[in-house]
């Protein structure tokens, strides 16, 4: 039976534990260095604690080691990986092929996953990575559900991990060099300066302004919560929430929302799917993705390219949830038409007539009448209001909000003067204990007391699902308590078999058994990029790897003083966003080429590669 894994982000130990408590089957977290979020590093001690906590539920911990590595860092990186492997990390996400070549030669217990930073956008790339030995591949966010299905059908033994929620990079991951070029902060080194969240002016070949000071590369946030079942049917096994820089309340809310959605799928098809870890979560709140940071939501390219807007023209900041329209303005207050309730301290925002996002704080609430701390001058009746800070929800999320318990069943019986207690949990673990006693028949029924005593599981990870009493003997509560404590302690010492499916060794995928290059179907070479630095070979071992794979040696963009022109490759297309895709045969009111200009005057050329349905951002010569 296929298992469905919800993979949640962890900025730190607190977020990691919260993710597990709120339904994650796995979490991904950065170590002290070499993760694709340089500001979200964690100590070995904290990762060790997270592994111990997660493994109680059969949940996994993945560590991101997915930056490109320089030669003088290779030894330290390998040492870090070996330490992570020893403390029980379940998998490592890797981008650098030099590092991967080194790690394949070690006897690691953890698996190696191909990070989305390896630019996994095609069936051919997935095939090539599988040939290298990767068991799991994190697909590019840009792929449609149909494309994911095609990859799974071609390579059913390869685990496919897909992003389902969170911030979107406008460029294919691993193929963005704008931050390095403009600010000397490499996205491939975990130091992205978020070039795409800046305002730009769009000009045509004659210098005419098409759009001025708009966030033309700032994408909305992905939300695939309504597409989960389709993604499951397409063959994805892991559903990833973006957000290793997000705070704990974001992790709690979004993880819980997607966990409930996956549970509904399992409930509909109990004979087809199960969750990848154990334990039932009980929440003290109603999960709602709209209440956490978001720039507005998009399913992105789930159904291919559409005419729906993908960007946040007016601000890269959080928009939040829609709460109604301004009905009437009176002095320093206004009424809201809608069903939302408000609290003092809420943060509200709206788009003014100039298209600017304006935010303000609520000072006082009287029913649906709002008294702002400062009345926005540009607020008008009829304008739509959004709440990007829900004070009541935030206060609620600051408290304990979930309890996760593994179902356990007890069976109690007696034989002669011996009392036996057997326990079985949902993970399949089983233990038995016994106690001597002067067994006498009870004068009145004892079943209710026995059930009550054995169900007192307190702060353990267990919750009594069933207590079967097969004796009419009187058993003192003190004996029942001791037996319960002993058997629960024994169960807690038993490891959960984390991989529900058979754990396979790293190596060439089963999909290649019985096949040879002569079949004509086996990809022998890495993808042929238009510029050699796109392979991101930043160390001698990576260069040797690609040379042996039939590609010429090339320096990474970060290490080559003669940097190439291509700074981004995007499936997102500004022509399509503005309604002038060439497939529509609608004549654009501009003369190409188009140029993006930053507020400091630096310019970037847009190249529309319609054959590949792709937009490239180039530095101007």
């Amino acid at each position: 039976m296929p298992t469905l894994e919800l993979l949640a982000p962890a900025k730190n130990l607190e977020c990691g534990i919260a993710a597990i408590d709120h339904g994650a089957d796995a979490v991904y977290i950065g170590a002290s260095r070499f993760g694709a979020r340089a500001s979200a590093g964690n100590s070995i001690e904290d990762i060790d604690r997270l592994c111990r906590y997660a493994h109680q539920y059969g949940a996994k911990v993945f560590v991101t080691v997915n930056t490109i590595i320089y030669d003088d860092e290779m030894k330290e990186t390998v040492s870090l990986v070996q330490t992570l492997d020893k403390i029980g990390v379940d998998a490592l996400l890797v981008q650098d092929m030099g590092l991967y070549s080194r790690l394949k030669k070690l006897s690691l217990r953890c698996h190696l996953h191909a990070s989305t930073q390896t630019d996994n956008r095609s069936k051919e790339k997935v095939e090539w990575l599988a040939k290298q030995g990767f068991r799991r591949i994190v697909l590019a966010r840009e792929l449609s559900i149909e494309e994911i299905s095609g990859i799974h059908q071609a390579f059913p033994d390869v685990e496919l991990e897909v992003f389902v929620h969170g911030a979107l990079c406008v460029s294919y991951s691993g193929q963005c060099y704008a931050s390095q070029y403009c600010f000397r902060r490499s996205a491939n080194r975990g130091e992205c300066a978020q070039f795409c969240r800046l305002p730009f002016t769009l000009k045509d070949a004659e210098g005419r302004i098409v759009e001025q000071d708009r966030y033309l590369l700032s994408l909305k946030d992905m939300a695939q919560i309504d597409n989960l079942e389709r993604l499951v049917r397409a063959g994805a096994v892991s559903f990833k929430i973006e957000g290793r820089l997000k705070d704990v309340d974001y992790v709690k809310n979004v993880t819980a929302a997607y966990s409930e959605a996956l549970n509904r799928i399992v409930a509909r098809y109990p004979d087809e799917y199960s969750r990848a870890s154990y334990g039932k979560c009980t929440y003290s709140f109603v999960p709602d993705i709209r209440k956490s940071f978001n720039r507005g939501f998009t399913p992105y390219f789930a159904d291919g390219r559409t005419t729906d807007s993908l960007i946040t023209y007016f601000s890269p900041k959080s928009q939040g949830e829609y709460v109604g329209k301004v009905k009437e303005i009176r002095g320093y207050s206004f009424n809201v038409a809608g069903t939302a309730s408000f609290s003092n301290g809420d943060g509200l925002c709206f788009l003014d007539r100039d298209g600017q996002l304006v935010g303000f704080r609520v000072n006082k609430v009287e029913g649906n009448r709002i008294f702002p701390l400062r009345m926005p001058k540009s607020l008008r009746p009829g304008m739509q209001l959004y709440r990007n800070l829900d004070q009541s929800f935030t206060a609620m999320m600051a408290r304990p909000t979930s309890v996760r318990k593994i179902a356990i069943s007890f069976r109690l019986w007696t034989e002669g003067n011996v009392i036996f207690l057997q326990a079985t949990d949902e993970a399949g673990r089983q233990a038995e204990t016994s106690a001597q006693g002067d067994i006498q028949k009870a004068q009145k029924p004892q079943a209710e007391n026995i059930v009550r005593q054995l169900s007192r599981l307190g702060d353990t990870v267990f919750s009594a699902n069933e207590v079967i009493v097969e004796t009419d003997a009187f058993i003192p509560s003190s004996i029942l308590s001791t037996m319960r404590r002993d058997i629960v302690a024994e169960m807690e010492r038993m490891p959960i078999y984390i991989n529900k499916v058979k754990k396979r060794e790293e190596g060439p995928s089963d999909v290649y058994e019985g096949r040879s290059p002569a079949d004509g179907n086996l990809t022998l070479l890495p993808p042929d990029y238009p510029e050699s630095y796109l392979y991101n070979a930043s160390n001698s071992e990576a260069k040797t790897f690609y040379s042996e794979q039939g590609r010429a040696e090339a320096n990474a963009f970060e290490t080559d003083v003669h940097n190439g022109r291509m700074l981004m490759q995007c499936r997102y297309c500004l022509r399509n966003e503005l309604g002038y895709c060439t497939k529509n045969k609608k004549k654009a009111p501009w003369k190409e080429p188009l140029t993006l200009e930053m507020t400091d005057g630096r310019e970037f050329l847009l190249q529309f590669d319609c054959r590949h349905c792709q937009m490239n951002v180039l530095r101007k010569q």
Side-chain angles (χ1 to χ4, degrees), residues 314 319-327 329 334-338 342 347-353 356-360 376 378-388:
F314 308 109
Q319 172 182 296
E321 61 175 328
Y322 174 71
V323 290
K325 291 184 178 181
V326 177
K327 184 177 180 181
I329 299 176
F334 61 91
N335 279 349
V336 179
F342 300 92
L348 303 179
C349 59
F350 64 95
L351 288 175
D352 66 16
R353 290 178 175 174
Q356 299 300 312
L357 188 70
V358 179
F360 61 94
S378 55
L379 189 66
R380 298 289 184 272
M383 287 182 169
Q384 295 182 330
L385 281 177
Y386 295 85
R387 175 164 51 195
N388 51 19

Side-chain angles (χ1 to χ4, degrees), residues 71-334:
D71 279 313
D72 60 357
E73 299 170 332
M74 187 63 73
K75 183 177 179 180
E76 180 186 354
T77 311
V78 172
S79 177
L80 172 64
V81 166
Q82 290 174 314
T83 302
L84 292 168
D85 188 54
K86 287 178 183 177
I87 64 174
V89 164
D90 299 286
L92 301 170
L93 283 82
V94 180
Q95 174 188 189
D96 191 285
M97 287 300 166
L99 175 63
Y100 180 64
S101 300
R102 180 80 73 92
L103 297 182
K104 280 206 300 182
K105 300 172 185 176
L106 303 178
S107 298
L108 298 176
R109 293 175 297 176
C110 64
H111 284 185
L112 301 176
H113 296 173
S115 168
T116 190
Q117 293 293 119
T118 53
D119 184 26
N120 311 321
R121 70 174 92 167
S122 68
K123 190 183 299 183
E124 292 74 22
K125 184 62 176 287
V126 170
E127 181 183 32
W128 178 76
L129 287 168
K131 182 171 73 75
Q132 305 309 314
F134 283 106
R135 284 294 172 185
R136 177 181 291 191
I137 295 167
V138 187
L139 296 178
R141 296 166 172 84
E142 290 82 358
L143 295 186
S144 69
I145 296 175
E146 183 179 357
E147 288 170 320
I148 293 168
S149 178
I151 291 171
H152 171 66
Q153 290 173 24
F155 311 110
D157 287 339
V158 179
E159 294 181 2
L160 301 180
E161 181 179 305
V162 297
F163 281 90
V164 294
H165 193 90
L168 287 166
C169 299
V170 73
S171 174
Y172 283 103
S173 292
Q175 300 290 287
C176 181
Y177 309 93
S179 180
Q180 170 68 21
Y181 174 72
C182 291
F183 309 110
R184 292 296 180 260
R185 290 173 55 180
S186 168
N188 282 313
R189 296 278 293 169
E191 300 168 341
C192 178
Q194 296 196 314
F195 170 88
C196 58
R197 303 297 180 191
L198 299 175
F200 294 95
T201 293
L202 180 66
K203 295 181 178 180
D204 75 356
E206 296 177 347
R208 289 177 296 188
I209 294 176
V210 180
E211 296 282 347
Q212 186 163 12
D213 292 334
R214 294 290 186 241
Y215 296 89
L216 299 173
L217 300 180
S218 181
L219 298 179
K220 297 177 182 178
D221 288 359
M222 176 186 278
Q224 299 279 30
I225 197 163
D226 295 329
N227 288 326
L228 280 183
E229 185 173 328
R230 295 173 62 202
L231 289 166
V232 168
R233 294 295 185 186
V237 298
S238 182
F239 308 91
K240 186 171 192 172
I241 299 167
E242 184 277 337
R244 276 202 301 120
L245 297 179
K246 295 293 196 300
D247 292 330
V248 68
D249 56 347
Y250 178 96
V251 173
K252 286 180 176 184
N253 182 36
V254 177
T255 300
Y258 277 84
S259 183
E260 288 192 332
L262 283 179
N263 284 342
R264 288 192 290 270
I265 295 172
V266 171
R268 282 196 295 272
Y269 310 104
D271 297 330
E272 296 184 52
Y273 304 107
S274 65
R275 291 295 294 273
S277 62
Y278 303 96
K280 178 183 178 181
C281 296
T282 302
Y283 307 118
S284 62
F285 70 105
V286 178
D288 185 347
I289 60 173
R290 298 172 302 168
K291 290 185 176 294
S292 291
F293 183 101
N294 71 83
R295 302 175 178 89
F297 290 124
T298 174
Y300 208 25
F301 292 105
D303 291 302
R305 192 178 297 282
T306 68
T307 57
D308 294 340
S309 178
L310 298 178
I311 62 173
T312 56
Y313 278 93
F314 308 109
S315 175
K317 298 178 181 179
S318 178
Q319 172 182 296
E321 61 175 328
Y322 174 71
V323 290
K325 291 184 178 181
V326 177
K327 184 177 180 181
E328 172 216 13
I329 299 176
R330 187 192 311 157
Y332 295 99
S333 67
F334 61 91

